[in-house]
Amino acid sequence: MNKHYNKIYFQGSKELVNKRYFEGWYFKQVNKDLNYTISFIPGVSYNDGDSHSFIQCIICNKDNELSSHYFRYELSEFSYSSSPFSVKIGKSSFCENKIDIDIEDSTISVIGKLEFEALEPLPHSFLRPNIMGFFSYIPKMECNHHIISMNHRINGKLLIDHETLDLTDGFGYMEKDWGKSFPTEYIWLQCNHFKQSDIRVTVSVATIPFGLFSFKGFFCSLFVGDKEYRFATYNRSKLILNSAKDGVVDICLIKGNLELNIVGVVDNTQVLASPKNGIMDHSIKEGLAGRVSISLKNSKTGLSIKSNGTNAGIEIMMDF
């Protein structure tokens, strides 16, 4: 097993009990009718005062109402396997191709099984083992990021407070983060529900500490059919951040003859717990019903692609 080239695997170790470390996986599901989105975030928090495992759940229902829930577990209730990959927390298990969820407290109950088909990982190479490019080789980064699947089909049902949510023929997305803390300032946007059905995009911009300094790093993966367009700090792309406040993010990415404009709008957000020095005592705001517009142009070939998307996950944790 090589954890560096299989980032879906648990990157930590159980010897981290008194260290400052977090790791979490993100599973987002949207139903066929695009009127219900539910995401699960299983994870673990290691530190010297409040180590535990957890499952977060954020839901956007058919009335566009958002709710978030935090289920806390003892460290002893967290286990993992690499062959095949799985993470188990309490009565729930999370694998690359399925979820078996069983969470309940005084606010909500979610029980069910989901299966995933035709996962779409990013293309990779020695210099680009994941979305972070060669930055993934730098040890002790504050926060590491990996995209497990840009898009995949879902089969299965969930029972949410005794009401059935059928996710069969819906589509999902998977990623993960690990390290010490989330960035102090960042933007994250993900959408795989465009009018042009073969488009999917994920983008992140963050202030990244590097020794005594910091810099604004970014990556973006846009798929149109089987073609990926990658914009990132590490491949000499240029970022123009036009706006990132009041629920609107407006960015322009340039690489050679390619120019990609992305505008994301999110009206409703809910609070999720986030890590700071391994402790889940900070918070972020995420929306699951965001709207996205993309415009891709190639000044040399005349390529022009425009499309609008819905059911986007958006987090805007900066004011610009």
Side-chain angles (χ1 to χ4, degrees):
M1 180 195 72
N2 188 326
K3 292 197 295 185
H4 190 83
Y5 293 103
N6 297 278
K7 295 297 190 183
I8 189 175
Y9 295 165
F10 180 55
Q11 300 294 304
S13 68
K14 291 191 174 181
E15 287 69 40
L16 291 165
V17 173
N18 294 316
K19 305 294 183 180
R20 297 178 178 181
Y21 179 83
F22 81 94
E23 188 160 349
W25 295 257
Y26 181 88
F27 297 77
K28 177 189 172 194
Q29 291 74 220
V30 180
N31 70 340
K32 182 180 179 180
D33 295 331
L34 307 184
N35 62 6
Y36 213 110
T37 304
I38 183 167
S39 295
F40 301 111
I41 309 170
V44 63
S45 167
Y46 290 105
N47 52 79
D48 55 6
D50 187 31
S51 293
H52 66 280
S53 57
F54 60 87
I55 299 173
Q56 295 198 72
C57 175
I58 181 169
I59 300 171
C60 183
N61 66 20
K62 59 186 178 182
D63 297 318
N64 203 27
E65 297 170 335
L66 273 173
S67 63
S68 66
H69 312 269
Y70 192 94
F71 298 84
R72 180 189 174 97
Y73 299 85
E74 299 296 327
L75 274 181
S76 59
E77 296 181 87
F78 167 77
S79 63
Y80 64 91
S81 170
S82 298
S83 298
F85 163 76
S86 71
V87 167
K88 294 183 179 180
I89 300 176
K91 297 179 181 179
S92 302
S93 63
F94 303 84
C95 305
E96 191 171 8
N97 59 357
K98 63 181 179 179
I99 288 176
D100 191 338
I101 191 79
D102 188 345
I103 50 179
E104 183 176 8
D105 64 10
S106 60
T107 65
I108 195 171
S109 169
V110 184
I111 301 171
K113 296 182 179 181
L114 302 176
E115 295 182 348
F116 309 134
E117 299 176 354
L119 270 65
E120 186 179 68
L122 292 183
H124 60 275
S125 64
F126 177 76
L127 291 178
R128 296 195 314 182
N130 62 21
I131 191 63
M132 292 181 63
F134 61 77
F135 284 105
S136 67
Y137 290 105
I138 299 176
K140 298 182 179 180
M141 292 285 285
E142 180 185 56
C143 185
N144 299 274
H145 192 83
H146 175 60
I147 296 170
I148 301 166
S149 176
M150 288 285 288
N151 191 55
H152 51 267
R153 187 173 292 277
I154 306 169
N155 288 300
K157 298 178 181 180
L158 299 176
L159 193 64
I160 303 176
D161 286 340
H162 309 295
E163 292 188 9
T164 299
L165 170 62
D166 190 351
L167 285 158
T168 300
D169 293 329
F171 286 93
Y173 170 84
M174 276 189 270
E175 65 174 33
K176 67 173 295 190
D177 294 280
W178 69 99
K180 186 177 178 181
S181 305
F182 268 17
T184 54
E185 292 186 319
Y186 75 92
I187 298 164
W188 172 81
L189 180 152
Q190 177 277 327
C191 184
N192 54 344
H193 290 85
F194 284 87
K195 288 185 177 180
Q196 185 175 328
S197 60
D198 62 349
I199 293 178
R200 46 267 189 235
V201 67
T202 184
V203 58
S204 181
V205 180
T207 300
I208 301 172
F210 197 75
L212 298 176
F213 307 96
S214 65
F215 66 95
K216 195 172 262 67
F218 64 93
F219 62 75
C220 173
S221 177
L222 169 69
F223 274 86
V224 181
D226 294 331
K227 172 69 174 178
E228 184 200 16
Y229 299 91
R230 180 81 62 91
F231 301 84
T233 307
Y234 53 79
N235 68 8
R236 299 184 179 181
S237 297
K238 180 182 178 181
L239 165 72
I240 301 174
L241 182 56
N242 297 314
S243 177
K245 62 180 179 180
D246 299 328
V248 179
V249 57
D250 182 348
I251 65 175
C252 176
L253 299 164
I254 300 170
K255 182 176 182 290
N257 299 309
L258 288 169
E259 179 177 316
L260 174 62
N261 289 277
I262 302 175
V263 177
V265 179
V266 59
D267 298 319
N268 300 323
T269 60
Q270 259 292 346
V271 173
L272 292 173
S274 69
K276 183 67 175 179
N277 292 323
I279 304 174
M280 300 295 291
D281 63 351
H282 277 52
S283 63
I284 59 174
K285 294 181 179 180
E286 180 174 328
L288 289 179
R291 305 179 300 279
V292 178
S293 65
I294 62 130
S295 174
L296 177 68
K297 297 180 180 179
N298 188 317
S299 59
K300 183 177 181 179
T301 67
L303 172 74
S304 179
I305 299 172
K306 295 182 179 181
S307 192
N308 297 318
T310 62
N311 300 84
I314 300 178
E315 298 170 7
I316 304 173
M317 300 303 296
M318 64 170 60
D319 189 357
F320 178 84

